[in-house]
Amino acid sequence: MLLRYQFRVYPTPSQRIQLARAFGCARVVFNDCLRVRQGSHAAGVKISDAEVQKTVVTVAKRTPERAWLAEVSSVVLVQACQDARAAYRNWFDSLSGKRKGRKVGRPRFRSRKCHRQTIRLTRNGFRIRDNGRVYLAKVGELKVAWSRDLPSDPSSVTIIKDASGRYFASFVVEVDTTPLPEVASEVGIDLGLSVFAVLSNGKRITSPKFFRRAERRLRMAQRSLSRKDPGSNNRVKARVRAAKAHAKVGDTRRDWAHKQSTQIIRDNQAVFVEDLCVQGLARTRLAKSVHDASWGMFSRMVEEKAARYGRIFARVDRFFPSSQLCSRCGVVDGPKPLSVRQWTCRSCGVAHDRDLNAAINIHAAGRAEWLNACGGAVRLSA
């Protein structure tokens, strides 16, 4: 399977200038590709991918208006064309129904005002030197803060500059799946806001609320940014300070989610999670708390690590009444407002904790989907 290994890089001032030039050229080539495709579509002329690349790269370098494209590596420009091609393919596949997931819109032009810049290079555009530095074509050797060894030779590298001014190198490597020793435990997970997750075995994971804890600092940084004059150097400095504050919150949340998901995968052979509609919940009055909880990122990490380490992962349908169903007798007791955290089943009289009962039901429903074809038991014992 393919994974990304990301490391911090520290370019010199001259290398930052070369990277900024590469970022700009990649953006221009990407926009030119979209413009050529839109023009050919409006004229009713079919144009192949090779013709688009020849027009926006090979022919454009010979013109006075685009002669500066020759100052960067051709690998960067070719990959920008491939990105534009992939954007159109994803759009067409989404319209025809071949692409799963939510609908993908028409490719949009890249803006020079975007503070996150990326370029991608394949194997003929970069090398990892023996001294631990990464050589990029027409940029030079970049200093890399290696935190771990790469499991195999990378097939490509993406150089990223985020909004806070940090540079990263993201390597795509192929790794072998390494199944963990089998364990007998299985778990269903009910995600929430006041408590981040309640497991069917009774364990509770408290919500760290990283954004809420840093909200005052973020508000002050944004307020300072809004008071600076547009185009001034002070506004640039204030923007970087605000971006660094937001990056710190995001990095802390991501690190915490990695640790929690890894622990869950190590301790359980099968993991079942409710398929929540995060996009819809983010439009409600709970939007800030939903984004702060980051359920989607956590579920995605659990799913990816389950595939890597040989665990079972399944999502329970979002319309499954996990909070309304009695985990003891199976009677649907009806919907309840969020303020109700404890309830008693009117059929069997068992008192339930709302979150724990939902986690047990998610475990039972996920296990039913997993074992249904195998003829195994599909209901948990009382």
Side-chain angles (χ1 to χ4, degrees):
M1 60 185 307
L2 297 178
L3 293 179
R4 280 193 176 273
Y5 280 60
Q6 184 168 294
F7 305 92
R8 183 84 178 268
V9 296
Y10 298 90
T12 62
S14 60
Q15 290 173 343
R16 294 189 180 191
I17 296 175
Q18 294 294 331
L19 288 174
R21 185 176 290 116
F23 292 144
C25 291
R27 173 180 53 81
V28 170
V29 169
F30 181 89
N31 292 341
D32 288 346
C33 286
L34 298 189
R35 199 171 291 110
V36 169
R37 291 181 182 274
Q38 290 178 1
S40 61
H41 177 72
V45 179
K46 289 191 65 175
I47 184 169
S48 64
D49 298 329
E51 292 175 342
V52 173
Q53 180 175 320
K54 181 179 179 181
T55 301
V56 301
V57 178
T58 307
V59 177
K61 286 182 180 180
R62 302 171 185 167
T63 62
E65 295 81 7
R66 293 285 191 269
W68 36 266
L69 290 177
E71 298 177 2
V72 302
S73 172
S74 61
V75 180
V76 174
L77 307 181
V78 171
Q79 294 306 310
C81 294
Q82 296 296 328
D83 290 343
R85 173 191 176 188
Y88 264 98
R89 292 294 171 85
N90 291 337
W91 180 39
F92 293 149
D93 291 345
S94 180
L95 291 176
S96 63
K98 291 174 58 178
R99 191 177 192 274
K100 297 182 179 180
R102 63 180 184 180
K103 295 295 183 181
V104 176
R106 178 194 296 269
R108 294 181 296 180
F109 292 101
R110 292 180 178 177
S111 173
R112 61 183 301 179
K113 297 181 180 180
C114 180
H115 299 296
R116 188 181 187 275
Q117 306 285 338
T118 62
I119 56 172
R120 189 173 72 254
L121 298 98
T122 51
R123 287 177 177 172
N124 55 344
F126 77 98
R127 289 291 185 276
I128 299 179
R129 301 296 194 190
D130 295 335
N131 58 4
R133 293 175 179 263
V134 176
Y135 171 78
L136 304 181
K138 293 193 177 182
V139 175
E141 295 183 351
L142 298 178
K143 180 182 177 182
V144 184
W146 298 102
S147 57
R148 51 183 172 172
D149 297 331
L150 294 176
S152 61
D153 294 333
S155 59
S156 67
V157 62
T158 302
I159 305 299
I160 305 169
K161 180 187 177 184
D162 65 1
S164 61
R166 301 178 300 177
Y167 291 83
F168 298 92
S170 179
F171 299 94
V172 176
V173 297
E174 186 172 358
V175 298
D176 297 329
T177 57
T178 54
L180 294 173
E182 292 190 7
V183 294
S185 59
E186 304 170 5
V187 71
I189 303 177
D190 177 63
L191 300 174
L193 295 178
S194 58
V195 179
F196 177 77
V198 177
L199 280 58
S200 58
N201 56 14
K203 180 181 177 182
R204 292 175 177 266
I205 302 176
T206 59
S207 180
K209 299 182 180 179
F210 295 107
F211 181 83
R212 294 289 186 179
R213 283 158 46 185
E215 192 170 10
R216 181 176 180 274
R217 183 172 69 252
L218 296 175
R219 183 170 60 249
M220 293 176 63
Q222 292 292 151
R223 183 184 300 164
S224 176
L225 172 62
S226 65
R227 291 174 175 174
K228 300 298 185 291
D229 293 333
S232 64
N233 290 333
N234 286 335
R235 184 176 180 85
V236 174
K237 296 176 184 178
R239 184 196 63 77
V240 172
R241 284 195 297 269
K244 287 183 177 180
H246 283 281
K248 184 176 180 180
V249 174
D251 292 344
T252 308
R253 181 189 294 115
R254 198 174 301 108
D255 177 72
W256 181 86
H258 269 296
K259 293 177 180 177
Q260 296 296 331
S261 58
T262 301
Q263 189 64 40
I264 290 175
I265 289 297
R266 285 177 178 173
D267 295 342
N268 301 278
Q269 185 66 27
V271 181
F272 309 106
V273 181
E274 187 177 8
D275 185 19
L276 296 173
C277 182
V278 180
Q279 187 178 8
L281 292 172
R283 298 195 186 102
T284 65
R285 59 185 179 86
L286 301 174
K288 188 182 293 187
S289 298
V290 170
H291 285 301
D292 193 14
S294 199
W295 295 326
M297 180 179 65
F298 173 78
S299 301
R300 185 178 65 253
M301 288 182 180
V302 174
E303 183 176 9
E304 293 172 353
K305 292 175 183 179
R308 181 179 181 184
Y309 296 115
R311 300 305 201 197
I312 303 299
F313 178 86
R315 296 180 184 269
V316 177
D317 186 79
R318 65 186 59 172
F319 298 107
F320 176 70
S322 59
S323 298
Q324 307 176 23
L325 185 67
C326 175
S327 59
R328 179 63 63 86
C329 64
V331 173
V332 178
D333 201 64
K336 302 167 186 61
L338 291 177
S339 58
V340 177
R341 312 313 303 174
Q342 305 283 340
W343 60 280
T344 302
C345 178
R346 291 176 291 183
S347 178
C348 62
V350 176
H352 292 293
D353 178 88
R354 180 192 182 107
D355 299 329
L356 180 59
N357 177 74
I360 295 174
N361 289 329
I362 290 172
H363 180 202
R367 196 167 187 267
E369 290 293 331
W370 172 36
L371 298 177
N372 189 30
C374 303
V378 296
R379 179 171 291 278
L380 295 177
S381 58

